[in-house]
Amino acid sequence: MIKKWKQLILAASFAALSSLLPVQAVQAEQLKLSGSMIREWNNGTQVDTHMDKNGSIQIQTSTEGLKKGYYSAYIYELRNRDWSSYGALTFSIRNESEMTLPFNVVITRANQSSLTVADNRNVIVVPKATREATLVHPTAGLIELEPGFVGQIRIPFSSLMVQDKAKTAGQVKLGKITGWGITTTTTENVQLNVRVGNIKPVSRKQAAAENDLTTLQITGEERMMKPEAGESIAQYEVHSSSSKGIPKASFQLDSPVQGASITPDGLLTLQTSVQLESLTIRALVNGKWNLTYTVMMDRSTAMNVQEKDGTKRAIPSPDQVTKVVNPIDPLMKPWMEWLIRIILSAAGILTLAAYGIWRRKGRNTARAQKRRSRREQRRARRPFSM
């Protein structure tokens, strides 16, 4: 899938470079798009674009009837501009599709290189309904927006990388560009309907704080075992390789989950009653920025491990353990303990006494046998008499 949309980016980049229009300096205001400058590229996707009088562009794509595979569409503006003084790009977007919208932004520089958002870097998504700024990174080169999403996307330029060069993330400078646009990639038999507008570049100074957030991420266990007994515990933290200082983060579950809880400092605890296959952790960073992290939950494999004779190695739950004695049983009374001691002591004394008597009898028997033997020997020595 990644190769497909990279191919379309490369093709569109060469098309954009064919423009010989003079470079225009962009002011910190909404970009005025021109329908005559909008171009399309696809590898089989049907694409229909329409621009309204407010400068918003409606994009409709369809892969209905195509063979099984991945199909891309790239809609871009072919115009030379100078973005050397800017640090971010912001635009409004409305996903009018019935499915998740997978997209990315592509910017083509005058030096024939294309830039796009790196998988390990964040963009800022602000839903209109909540106004909560969430840091989101692409998966397999695509940012995903849920069906019906309406809001704003902010692309810090420190999230961009040179195409096919992940190590360049956070190191690129824009300067003069020959075009920019949006790319989508879907499977067969999918229709997308998207509206994009209110496109504005943001100055470096205004975008400085946002560019420091592009490497923020939650770190911790990606998968946890559902406990069969006791608890499962994991620690989560917010990490950044570029922001100054350690970010302050407060953790919570994205929605309540029976049998699961997390402390504000990121200690996740799962109880035996947890049933869901996954849960989402949310971290509020510096009281303003939201990060989310999905944790998958697996059934414990310990319950399936057995000894050679078929005995399970798993630790049994309390209700599975047979009670040997009950606290109210007579055997648990203090007087019973003393009675047992007395009986054992008496048994020991009787045993010793019996042993002593046995030894004494044995000695007497041995002495009697010796005396009898001596008498017999003396008789044998006497002369025979009639």
Side-chain angles (χ1 to χ4, degrees), residues 101-144:
L101 170 66
F103 78 101
N104 206 327
V105 170
V106 181
I107 300 173
T108 305
R109 296 189 294 185
N111 65 358
Q112 301 185 7
S113 62
S114 294
L115 309 177
T116 190
V117 180
D119 277 2
N120 61 348
R121 295 278 172 153
N122 296 321
V123 300
I124 301 169
V125 178
V126 186
K128 184 178 180 180
T130 63
R131 300 291 182 183
E132 294 181 352
T134 302
L135 302 174
V136 177
H137 59 81
T139 300
L142 296 169
I143 304 164
E144 296 185 342

Short mmCIF file of all heavy atoms in Angstrom, two decimals, residues 101-144:
data_model
loop_
_atom_site.label_atom_id
_atom_site.label_comp_id
_atom_site.label_asym_id
_atom_site.label_seq_id
_atom_site.Cartn_x
_atom_site.Cartn_y
_atom_site.Cartn_z
N LEU A 101 -11.36 7.89 6.72
CA LEU A 101 -10.61 8.56 5.67
C LEU A 101 -9.11 8.40 5.92
O LEU A 101 -8.58 8.92 6.88
CB LEU A 101 -10.97 10.05 5.64
CG LEU A 101 -10.08 10.93 4.76
CD1 LEU A 101 -10.25 10.56 3.28
CD2 LEU A 101 -10.41 12.41 4.97
N PRO A 102 -8.39 7.66 5.03
CA PRO A 102 -6.93 7.55 5.14
C PRO A 102 -6.26 8.54 4.19
O PRO A 102 -6.46 8.47 2.98
CB PRO A 102 -6.68 6.10 4.72
CG PRO A 102 -7.81 5.77 3.78
CD PRO A 102 -8.94 6.73 4.04
N PHE A 103 -5.46 9.45 4.71
CA PHE A 103 -4.86 10.47 3.85
C PHE A 103 -3.50 10.89 4.39
O PHE A 103 -3.10 10.54 5.50
CB PHE A 103 -5.79 11.69 3.76
CG PHE A 103 -5.71 12.59 4.98
CD1 PHE A 103 -4.96 13.76 4.95
CD2 PHE A 103 -6.38 12.27 6.15
CE1 PHE A 103 -4.87 14.58 6.07
CE2 PHE A 103 -6.32 13.08 7.26
CZ PHE A 103 -5.55 14.25 7.23
N ASN A 104 -2.80 11.65 3.58
CA ASN A 104 -1.56 12.29 3.99
C ASN A 104 -1.38 13.54 3.15
O ASN A 104 -2.05 13.73 2.13
CB ASN A 104 -0.34 11.36 3.84
CG ASN A 104 0.78 11.71 4.81
OD1 ASN A 104 1.00 12.88 5.14
ND2 ASN A 104 1.50 10.69 5.27
N VAL A 105 -0.48 14.39 3.61
CA VAL A 105 -0.18 15.64 2.90
C VAL A 105 1.16 15.48 2.20
O VAL A 105 2.10 14.90 2.75
CB VAL A 105 -0.13 16.81 3.89
CG1 VAL A 105 0.42 18.07 3.21
CG2 VAL A 105 -1.52 17.08 4.46
N VAL A 106 1.24 15.98 0.98
CA VAL A 106 2.47 15.92 0.20
C VAL A 106 2.84 17.33 -0.26
O VAL A 106 2.00 18.06 -0.79
CB VAL A 106 2.33 15.00 -1.03
CG1 VAL A 106 3.64 14.95 -1.81
CG2 VAL A 106 1.90 13.61 -0.61
N ILE A 107 4.08 17.73 -0.02
CA ILE A 107 4.58 19.04 -0.45
C ILE A 107 5.79 18.80 -1.35
O ILE A 107 6.73 18.09 -0.97
CB ILE A 107 4.98 19.90 0.76
CG1 ILE A 107 3.77 20.13 1.66
CG2 ILE A 107 5.57 21.24 0.31
CD1 ILE A 107 4.09 20.84 2.97
N THR A 108 5.78 19.38 -2.51
CA THR A 108 6.87 19.21 -3.47
C THR A 108 7.75 20.45 -3.49
O THR A 108 7.27 21.55 -3.74
CB THR A 108 6.34 18.95 -4.88
OG1 THR A 108 5.44 17.84 -4.85
CG2 THR A 108 7.47 18.65 -5.85
N ARG A 109 9.04 20.27 -3.19
CA ARG A 109 9.98 21.39 -3.17
C ARG A 109 10.57 21.63 -4.57
O ARG A 109 10.51 20.78 -5.45
CB ARG A 109 11.10 21.13 -2.18
CG ARG A 109 10.61 21.03 -0.74
CD ARG A 109 11.75 20.98 0.25
NE ARG A 109 12.56 19.76 0.11
CZ ARG A 109 13.56 19.45 0.94
NH1 ARG A 109 13.86 20.26 1.95
NH2 ARG A 109 14.24 18.34 0.77
N ALA A 110 11.15 22.81 -4.72
CA ALA A 110 11.74 23.19 -6.01
C ALA A 110 12.95 22.34 -6.36
O ALA A 110 13.37 22.29 -7.52
CB ALA A 110 12.12 24.67 -6.00
N ASN A 111 13.54 21.65 -5.39
CA ASN A 111 14.71 20.81 -5.66
C ASN A 111 14.33 19.39 -6.06
O ASN A 111 15.13 18.46 -5.96
CB ASN A 111 15.64 20.78 -4.44
CG ASN A 111 14.99 20.13 -3.23
OD1 ASN A 111 13.84 19.71 -3.27
ND2 ASN A 111 15.75 20.04 -2.14
N GLN A 112 13.08 19.20 -6.45
CA GLN A 112 12.55 17.95 -6.97
C GLN A 112 12.32 16.88 -5.89
O GLN A 112 12.11 15.71 -6.22
CB GLN A 112 13.48 17.36 -8.04
CG GLN A 112 13.69 18.29 -9.24
CD GLN A 112 14.51 17.62 -10.34
OE1 GLN A 112 14.81 16.44 -10.26
NE2 GLN A 112 14.86 18.38 -11.36
N SER A 113 12.35 17.25 -4.62
CA SER A 113 12.07 16.29 -3.55
C SER A 113 10.66 16.50 -3.01
O SER A 113 10.16 17.63 -2.93
CB SER A 113 13.09 16.43 -2.42
OG SER A 113 13.00 17.72 -1.83
N SER A 114 10.01 15.40 -2.64
CA SER A 114 8.66 15.45 -2.07
C SER A 114 8.72 15.19 -0.57
O SER A 114 9.46 14.32 -0.11
CB SER A 114 7.76 14.41 -2.74
OG SER A 114 7.57 14.73 -4.10
N LEU A 115 7.92 15.93 0.18
CA LEU A 115 7.86 15.80 1.63
C LEU A 115 6.49 15.29 2.05
O LEU A 115 5.48 15.66 1.46
CB LEU A 115 8.13 17.15 2.31
CG LEU A 115 9.37 17.92 1.87
CD1 LEU A 115 9.45 19.26 2.59
CD2 LEU A 115 10.63 17.10 2.14
N THR A 116 6.48 14.45 3.06
CA THR A 116 5.22 13.94 3.61
C THR A 116 5.40 13.70 5.09
O THR A 116 6.53 13.70 5.61
CB THR A 116 4.80 12.65 2.88
OG1 THR A 116 3.48 12.30 3.26
CG2 THR A 116 5.75 11.51 3.19
N VAL A 117 4.30 13.49 5.82
CA VAL A 117 4.37 13.29 7.27
C VAL A 117 4.93 11.91 7.57
O VAL A 117 4.45 10.90 7.06
CB VAL A 117 2.99 13.46 7.91
CG1 VAL A 117 3.08 13.25 9.42
CG2 VAL A 117 2.42 14.84 7.61
N ALA A 118 5.95 11.85 8.45
CA ALA A 118 6.58 10.59 8.84
C ALA A 118 5.71 9.82 9.83
O ALA A 118 4.96 10.41 10.61
CB ALA A 118 7.96 10.87 9.45
N ASP A 119 5.83 8.49 9.81
CA ASP A 119 5.03 7.65 10.70
C ASP A 119 5.31 7.89 12.17
O ASP A 119 4.44 7.68 13.02
CB ASP A 119 5.27 6.17 10.38
CG ASP A 119 4.43 5.69 9.20
OD1 ASP A 119 3.71 6.52 8.62
OD2 ASP A 119 4.51 4.50 8.86
N ASN A 120 6.53 8.27 12.52
CA ASN A 120 6.89 8.46 13.92
C ASN A 120 6.78 9.91 14.36
O ASN A 120 7.35 10.31 15.39
CB ASN A 120 8.31 7.95 14.17
CG ASN A 120 9.36 8.70 13.34
OD1 ASN A 120 9.01 9.44 12.42
ND2 ASN A 120 10.62 8.52 13.67
N ARG A 121 6.04 10.72 13.59
CA ARG A 121 5.85 12.13 13.94
C ARG A 121 4.37 12.45 14.04
O ARG A 121 3.53 11.81 13.40
CB ARG A 121 6.50 13.02 12.88
CG ARG A 121 8.03 12.89 12.82
CD ARG A 121 8.69 13.74 13.88
NE ARG A 121 10.12 13.51 13.99
CZ ARG A 121 10.98 14.43 14.43
NH1 ARG A 121 10.55 15.63 14.79
NH2 ARG A 121 12.26 14.14 14.54
N ASN A 122 4.04 13.46 14.84
CA ASN A 122 2.65 13.80 15.11
C ASN A 122 2.14 14.95 14.25
O ASN A 122 2.90 15.86 13.90
CB ASN A 122 2.47 14.20 16.58
CG ASN A 122 2.76 13.05 17.53
OD1 ASN A 122 2.40 11.92 17.27
ND2 ASN A 122 3.42 13.35 18.63
N VAL A 123 0.86 14.90 13.95
CA VAL A 123 0.12 16.06 13.46
C VAL A 123 -0.94 16.36 14.52
O VAL A 123 -1.20 15.55 15.41
CB VAL A 123 -0.53 15.80 12.09
CG1 VAL A 123 0.53 15.48 11.05
CG2 VAL A 123 -1.56 14.68 12.18
N ILE A 124 -1.55 17.52 14.44
CA ILE A 124 -2.53 17.93 15.45
C ILE A 124 -3.91 17.90 14.83
O ILE A 124 -4.17 18.54 13.80
CB ILE A 124 -2.20 19.34 15.98
CG1 ILE A 124 -0.80 19.33 16.59
CG2 ILE A 124 -3.23 19.78 17.01
CD1 ILE A 124 -0.26 20.71 16.91
N VAL A 125 -4.80 17.14 15.46
CA VAL A 125 -6.18 17.00 14.99
C VAL A 125 -7.10 17.64 16.03
O VAL A 125 -7.06 17.28 17.21
CB VAL A 125 -6.54 15.52 14.79
CG1 VAL A 125 -7.99 15.37 14.35
CG2 VAL A 125 -5.60 14.87 13.77
N VAL A 126 -7.91 18.60 15.58
CA VAL A 126 -8.81 19.31 16.50
C VAL A 126 -10.25 19.14 16.01
O VAL A 126 -10.69 19.85 15.10
CB VAL A 126 -8.46 20.81 16.58
CG1 VAL A 126 -9.30 21.50 17.66
CG2 VAL A 126 -6.98 21.01 16.86
N PRO A 127 -11.02 18.20 16.59
CA PRO A 127 -12.43 18.05 16.19
C PRO A 127 -13.23 19.31 16.54
O PRO A 127 -13.04 19.90 17.61
CB PRO A 127 -12.90 16.84 17.01
CG PRO A 127 -11.64 16.13 17.41
CD PRO A 127 -10.62 17.20 17.57
N LYS A 128 -14.12 19.69 15.67
CA LYS A 128 -14.93 20.88 15.91
C LYS A 128 -15.86 20.68 17.10
O LYS A 128 -16.15 21.63 17.85
CB LYS A 128 -15.76 21.19 14.65
CG LYS A 128 -16.58 22.46 14.76
CD LYS A 128 -17.32 22.74 13.46
CE LYS A 128 -18.16 24.02 13.56
NZ LYS A 128 -18.89 24.28 12.28
N ALA A 129 -16.32 19.45 17.33
CA ALA A 129 -17.29 19.18 18.39
C ALA A 129 -16.69 19.37 19.78
O ALA A 129 -17.34 19.89 20.68
CB ALA A 129 -17.83 17.77 18.25
N THR A 130 -15.42 18.96 19.99
CA THR A 130 -14.81 19.00 21.33
C THR A 130 -13.76 20.08 21.50
O THR A 130 -13.47 20.48 22.63
CB THR A 130 -14.16 17.64 21.64
OG1 THR A 130 -13.09 17.41 20.70
CG2 THR A 130 -15.17 16.51 21.52
N ARG A 131 -13.17 20.52 20.41
CA ARG A 131 -12.09 21.51 20.44
C ARG A 131 -10.86 20.99 21.20
O ARG A 131 -10.01 21.78 21.63
CB ARG A 131 -12.56 22.82 21.09
CG ARG A 131 -13.72 23.49 20.38
CD ARG A 131 -13.32 24.04 19.05
NE ARG A 131 -14.41 24.73 18.37
CZ ARG A 131 -14.31 25.26 17.15
NH1 ARG A 131 -13.17 25.16 16.49
NH2 ARG A 131 -15.35 25.85 16.59
N GLU A 132 -10.77 19.68 21.38
CA GLU A 132 -9.63 19.10 22.08
C GLU A 132 -8.54 18.75 21.07
O GLU A 132 -8.76 17.96 20.15
CB GLU A 132 -10.05 17.84 22.85
CG GLU A 132 -11.00 18.12 24.00
CD GLU A 132 -11.36 16.85 24.74
OE1 GLU A 132 -10.99 15.75 24.27
OE2 GLU A 132 -12.01 16.95 25.81
N ALA A 133 -7.36 19.33 21.26
CA ALA A 133 -6.25 19.08 20.35
C ALA A 133 -5.61 17.73 20.65
O ALA A 133 -5.11 17.51 21.76
CB ALA A 133 -5.21 20.20 20.48
N THR A 134 -5.64 16.83 19.66
CA THR A 134 -5.08 15.49 19.83
C THR A 134 -3.90 15.30 18.90
O THR A 134 -3.97 15.65 17.72
CB THR A 134 -6.16 14.42 19.54
OG1 THR A 134 -7.27 14.62 20.41
CG2 THR A 134 -5.60 13.02 19.75
N LEU A 135 -2.82 14.73 19.44
CA LEU A 135 -1.63 14.45 18.64
C LEU A 135 -1.77 13.06 18.03
O LEU A 135 -1.94 12.07 18.74
CB LEU A 135 -0.38 14.52 19.52
CG LEU A 135 -0.15 15.86 20.23
CD1 LEU A 135 1.04 15.77 21.17
CD2 LEU A 135 0.06 16.97 19.21
N VAL A 136 -1.71 13.00 16.70
CA VAL A 136 -1.94 11.75 15.96
C VAL A 136 -0.78 11.55 14.98
O VAL A 136 -0.33 12.50 14.35
CB VAL A 136 -3.27 11.81 15.18
CG1 VAL A 136 -3.47 10.54 14.36
CG2 VAL A 136 -4.44 12.03 16.14
N HIS A 137 -0.31 10.31 14.87
CA HIS A 137 0.74 10.03 13.89
C HIS A 137 0.20 9.06 12.84
O HIS A 137 -0.71 8.27 13.11
CB HIS A 137 1.97 9.45 14.56
CG HIS A 137 1.74 8.18 15.31
ND1 HIS A 137 1.68 6.95 14.69
CD2 HIS A 137 1.55 7.94 16.62
CE1 HIS A 137 1.46 6.01 15.58
NE2 HIS A 137 1.37 6.59 16.76
N PRO A 138 0.75 9.09 11.63
CA PRO A 138 0.28 8.20 10.57
C PRO A 138 0.58 6.73 10.88
O PRO A 138 1.49 6.42 11.64
CB PRO A 138 1.08 8.65 9.33
CG PRO A 138 1.55 10.03 9.67
CD PRO A 138 1.77 10.03 11.14
N THR A 139 -0.21 5.86 10.30
CA THR A 139 0.04 4.42 10.34
C THR A 139 0.20 3.94 8.91
O THR A 139 -0.69 4.13 8.08
CB THR A 139 -1.14 3.68 11.00
OG1 THR A 139 -1.30 4.17 12.34
CG2 THR A 139 -0.86 2.19 11.06
N ALA A 140 1.35 3.34 8.61
CA ALA A 140 1.66 2.91 7.24
C ALA A 140 1.54 4.08 6.27
O ALA A 140 1.06 3.93 5.15
CB ALA A 140 0.77 1.76 6.82
N GLY A 141 1.96 5.27 6.71
CA GLY A 141 1.98 6.43 5.83
C GLY A 141 0.67 7.15 5.68
O GLY A 141 0.57 8.07 4.86
N LEU A 142 -0.36 6.81 6.46
CA LEU A 142 -1.68 7.42 6.29
C LEU A 142 -2.26 7.84 7.64
O LEU A 142 -2.26 7.07 8.60
CB LEU A 142 -2.62 6.44 5.60
CG LEU A 142 -2.24 6.05 4.17
CD1 LEU A 142 -3.09 4.88 3.70
CD2 LEU A 142 -2.40 7.23 3.22
N ILE A 143 -2.76 9.07 7.70
CA ILE A 143 -3.49 9.58 8.86
C ILE A 143 -4.95 9.18 8.69
O ILE A 143 -5.50 9.28 7.59
CB ILE A 143 -3.35 11.11 8.94
CG1 ILE A 143 -1.88 11.51 8.98
CG2 ILE A 143 -4.10 11.66 10.15
CD1 ILE A 143 -1.64 12.98 8.68
N GLU A 144 -5.59 8.74 9.76
CA GLU A 144 -6.96 8.25 9.66
C GLU A 144 -7.93 9.15 10.41
O GLU A 144 -7.69 9.49 11.58
CB GLU A 144 -7.05 6.81 10.18
CG GLU A 144 -6.25 5.82 9.36
CD GLU A 144 -6.45 4.38 9.81
OE1 GLU A 144 -6.92 4.19 10.95
OE2 GLU A 144 -6.14 3.46 9.03
#
